[in-house]
Amino acid sequence: MVSHFMGRIVAGLCLLTAVACAPLAERSGSSMVGWPSPNFDERRPNFVILHFTSNKSVEPALHTLSSPASGVSSHYLIARDGTTYALVDERKRAWHAGVSYWGGSRDLNSASIGIELDNDGEEPYAEPQIVVLLALLGELKRKYAIPAANFLGHSDVAPRRKGDPGRYFPWQRLAGQGYGLWCEPPYSAQPQSTADDVLLAALGYDVADIDAAIGAFRLHFTPRSETRRLTTEDHALIHCLLEKRRN
Ligand SMILES: [Zn+2]
């Protein structure tokens, strides 16, 4: 219970710190006391989500990502020549992932840094762009201690809706430098038979639409495979990826 004297201090704190104490207290029907603590820092992103713009040049993407009417943005946009545009402060929530899911998280925008790459989805990525991307990923990984497994594509977190950064994205090269997971055959693990949805869900995929989840997995890890269902080799690959994530 707050005494009359304390109540005045609390009211003063509310005024000084612009904490909306009274409306909160009224709404909840209980006492809400503003009591600022110095023990905090900024919230930290724990994922990086990679995108392609699907544009032929950087100008239309810049326009879309900064136009109030579009309702979309990203933290960074990297042009084909490596020029990097910083669009949204890393501490703020950019609108790049939309409806999304990964490993139990349903709001990737709140937990991630979004990076758009100037690429139309039908072409290999430009070398200067990838060099700059790798340097940026290094900075982000160091600054926020982002686990290797949490560098993902938009298609991974929105398999029903999205196909970026697409089949030309150099995931193997990124994983070689610690951004994302990768395994090459032959795989050492000898998996017991496990259902496709159980394995993909263990990686993090939303398996509500299993065909979409398999498609997103293929796009990221086996872009040359045409098989619609997961094969025994795919199962061994997923076990290998899960093992890498554990280590
Ligand atoms: Zn995207």
Side-chain angles (χ1 to χ4, degrees):
M1 184 150 178
V2 180
S3 70
H4 178 67
F5 174 70
M6 280 301 292
R8 281 205 295 202
I9 292 179
V10 168
L13 273 173
C14 294
L15 282 174
L16 284 171
T17 60
V19 175
C21 304
L24 273 174
E26 282 165 19
R27 211 169 34 229
S28 64
S30 62
S31 297
M32 173 70 75
V33 179
W35 198 280
S37 167
N39 306 327
F40 65 91
D41 56 12
E42 298 285 347
R43 290 173 190 261
R44 288 167 174 262
N46 196 38
F47 291 87
V48 172
I49 308 296
L50 297 158
H51 306 257
F52 62 49
T53 61
S54 56
N55 292 131
K56 300 281 182 203
S57 66
V58 76
E59 287 79 13
L62 268 177
H63 177 76
T64 302
L65 293 168
S66 58
S67 154
S70 75
V72 294
S73 62
S74 61
H75 294 92
Y76 296 102
L77 164 63
I78 306 179
R80 287 169 169 82
D81 67 2
T83 304
T84 303
Y85 298 86
L87 300 165
V88 175
D89 189 306
E90 288 173 9
R91 293 165 296 184
K92 306 291 185 192
R93 181 175 178 273
W95 301 342
H96 59 97
V99 175
S100 53
Y101 175 94
W102 188 257
S105 300
R106 290 201 175 274
D107 177 14
L108 272 295
N109 277 343
S110 289
S112 67
I113 297 286
I115 302 175
E116 288 277 357
L117 298 161
D118 174 25
N119 179 287
D120 67 7
E122 301 297 330
E123 59 183 334
Y125 281 81
E127 180 61 17
Q129 183 180 43
I130 295 302
V131 168
V132 167
L133 171 66
L134 288 168
L136 177 57
L137 295 181
E139 272 178 42
L140 295 173
K141 187 174 183 180
R142 269 191 302 279
K143 198 191 305 185
Y144 300 117
I146 299 173
N150 290 3
F151 291 78
L152 298 166
H154 200 184
S155 52
D156 293 314
V157 302
R160 279 175 165 167
R161 302 186 300 114
K162 295 293 176 178
D164 56 321
R167 62 199 163 105
Y168 290 105
F169 191 72
W171 284 114
Q172 183 177 7
R173 180 171 169 190
L174 259 71
Q177 300 196 27
Y179 318 121
L181 300 176
W182 194 262
C183 284
E184 276 290 292
Y187 310 113
S188 56
Q190 291 299 314
Q192 291 124 20
S193 63
T194 315
D196 291 0
D197 59 346
V198 173
L199 285 171
L200 289 173
L203 264 186
Y205 286 98
D206 178 0
V207 294
D209 180 339
I210 189 63
D211 290 338
I214 291 173
F217 168 79
R218 288 244 173 278
L219 202 52
H220 187 139
F221 295 102
T222 61
R224 284 182 291 280
S225 173
E226 302 284 328
T227 318
R228 287 192 60 197
R229 308 311 304 180
L230 295 184
T231 63
T232 308
E233 180 160 89
D234 292 324
H235 284 200
L237 164 57
I238 295 175
H239 277 276
C240 175
L241 293 168
L242 292 171
E243 190 64 31
K244 282 222 165 145
R245 188 176 64 187
R246 268 192 291 274
N247 297 329

